[in-house]
Amino acid sequence: MTKYIIKGGKPLHGEIEISGAKNAAVAIIPAALMVSGTCRIENIPQISDVTMLLNIIEMMGGDIRTVDRHTMDIDCAGVKSVPADFELMHKIRASYYLIGALLGRFGRAEVAMPGGCNFGGVRPIDQHIKGFIAMGADVSVRNGMVVAQAKGGRLRGASIYLDVVSVGATINLMLAASLAQGVTYIENAAKEPHIVDLANFLNSMGADIRGAGTNVIKIRGVNELRGGFYSTIPDQIEAGTYLAAVAGAGGEVLIKNVIPKHLNCITVKLEEMGVSVKKFGDSVLVSSDGKLRATNFKTMPYPGFPTDMQPQLATILCLAKGTSTVTEGVWDNRYKYTDELLKMGANIRVEGRTAVIDGVSEFTGAHIKACDLRAGAAMVIAGLCANGTTEVTGVNYIERGYEDIVGKLRAVGADIISVQCADDENEVRDIV
Ligand code: EPU
């Protein structure tokens, strides 16, 4: 077990290279299960969620070879549609993409129900199940497993209207429909960059998907996907997290390997707060004197402000001059972390889906914990901005989705170290 110790109050200067997108990689890796032949995938982030997913695929018979730190060859010719390790699958949310991938390839899937509840609310998958049923599958949940079987052995194309804009359901149904018989329409689809990235991956392997990135996606099922090369997009949320860190701690950092257009929803808010953001071809330069102005924002599906940046932005707004309001429009409850910020002197109160923040002049170092992945990143940012020393426990959450966060921050002058700690300092908590 490890924890981070941060001596705050140091402005950040230098360059940070962004890794491949977690939420693209955790969709593309299961998609490789559907391919006959080897997929070479570049720009895979080195994070524990990816490692767990690769372990699951190996246990199912996949052959995974590491080409270099961020490149893998994945050959799933030997995969059988057998239930994979329950405990491992239950640990990561993205294991639910195995349902769509296995149903598409074998007409049958048995996958552990994804864990959830880390935001304090329910994380249902009813829209995924509704779509599989529309495509001709029988779906039941037994002993914690989702068991899905396509009638006649192969899914059929269908028109599916999602009742809520769901990233996971859009991805899962795109996977399943790629090898179904006939045409599938997903209406009210999510439009996140990683949805477009998955469609690009599948199309480069021979799928026929149009409209990804709009709210209607048309998928003409094909009989086979073949191997090829692909490089995942950079992580929009990792980049946003470092932008927020520099905005709060002050300094000037060039954030490299990004698609600036994917960051617009974040950078417009930072600019309203008085932060300078200059965009180049594949990098952005962020400069801040650490003196921020209050603003308001509401999280929404892309291209709205991303819920996965809500804790990081709310954290720096605690240090902005004036009163800000934050409204969570995607999840029922994503404010558990605010109790930790109170320990550092923040003035933040949560009323239902809204947090009202009265800016304070400083944070003081404290012992705080990461209660989920993005909240954990927000705790690191709080520590970087604070006077004194902050200890962050529960960092296993952070390492599920951020590659070498300590190394990247140290390279721009942050005083942050990762140290061993006793197990009881890191309570066991639930799933990201
Ligand atoms: N929803 C339903 N029914 C469903 C699916 C979703 O009611 O069948 C609701 C959810 O309860 C939520 C909303 O729809 O209120 C959106 O959920 P969505 O399905 O879009 O979320 P997800 O696919 O489970 C992904 C990301 C999350 C990110 C959300 C929203 C992955 C592995 N996870 O989750 O990322 O918050 O989309 O953008 O891609 C993170 O990276 O930290 C993270 C939590």
Side-chain angles (χ1 to χ4, degrees), residues 27-308:
I28 287 172
I29 293 168
L33 261 180
M34 304 174 70
V35 174
S36 324
T38 303
C39 302
R40 174 160 293 185
I41 310 172
E42 294 175 347
N43 208 27
I44 296 182
Q46 278 207 332
I47 52 176
S48 62
D49 265 18
V50 161
T51 308
M52 280 193 269
L53 201 46
L54 292 170
N55 287 344
I56 292 171
I57 287 179
E58 269 185 328
M59 285 167 127
M60 294 171 77
D63 181 21
I64 294 167
R65 294 192 195 146
T66 303
V67 179
D68 63 41
R69 265 183 83 213
H70 296 114
T71 308
M72 308 271 165
D73 281 346
I74 304 181
D75 181 349
C76 291
V79 168
K80 304 270 179 298
S81 177
V82 289
D85 183 81
F86 181 89
E87 285 306 320
L88 207 48
M89 280 200 288
H90 192 67
K91 278 189 180 147
I92 53 167
R93 180 91 189 148
S95 60
Y96 57 24
Y97 294 144
L98 297 172
I99 311 174
L102 292 172
L103 250 186
R105 176 167 165 194
F106 297 106
R108 180 173 173 82
E110 268 186 66
V111 175
M113 273 293 275
C117 216
N118 58 310
F119 306 144
V122 180
R123 293 183 68 174
I125 60 163
D126 56 297
Q127 298 301 305
H128 308 225
I129 292 176
K130 166 180 138 167
F132 297 139
I133 291 173
M135 282 193 264
D138 287 324
V139 185
S140 58
V141 181
R142 289 184 226 144
N143 307 322
M145 303 288 282
V146 179
V147 181
Q149 171 80 50
K151 293 184 194 110
R154 187 175 178 190
L155 294 172
R156 296 185 307 271
S159 283
I160 302 158
Y161 186 93
L162 298 180
D163 300 330
V164 288
V165 178
S166 160
V167 171
T170 304
I171 287 178
N172 230 340
L173 298 174
M174 243 164 60
L175 290 169
S178 294
L179 287 176
Q181 190 159 32
V183 179
T184 297
Y185 291 89
I186 307 174
E187 292 185 65
N188 200 25
K191 297 182 276 204
E192 270 65 6
H194 37 288
I195 287 176
V196 178
D197 205 37
L198 175 67
N200 288 340
F201 168 81
L202 287 166
N203 283 343
S204 70
M205 306 290 146
D208 183 352
I209 301 175
R210 296 171 198 204
T214 74
N215 54 11
V216 183
I217 304 179
K218 178 181 176 187
I219 305 132
R220 187 180 295 280
V222 295
N223 290 330
E224 192 188 29
L225 299 173
R226 22 165 224 283
F229 293 91
Y230 196 74
S231 183
T232 60
I233 52 168
D235 198 309
Q236 169 209 21
I237 304 298
E238 187 197 13
T241 300
Y242 291 120
L243 287 167
V246 178
E252 183 169 87
V253 172
L254 186 69
I255 313 275
K256 291 164 63 178
N257 183 34
V258 295
I259 299 175
K261 156 166 98 99
H262 292 168
L263 300 174
N264 284 349
C265 42
I266 302 165
T267 56
V268 290
K269 282 292 148 192
L270 292 173
E271 284 170 336
E272 277 173 32
M273 293 165 69
V275 178
S276 156
V277 182
K278 290 194 185 112
K279 295 187 177 143
F280 306 101
D282 62 357
S283 60
V284 292
L285 181 70
V286 54
S287 326
S288 167
D289 58 9
K291 295 190 177 73
L292 304 175
R293 293 193 292 270
T295 190
N296 306 319
F297 72 93
K298 177 175 181 181
T299 68
M300 282 185 276
Y302 190 83
F305 188 89
T307 175
D308 294 343

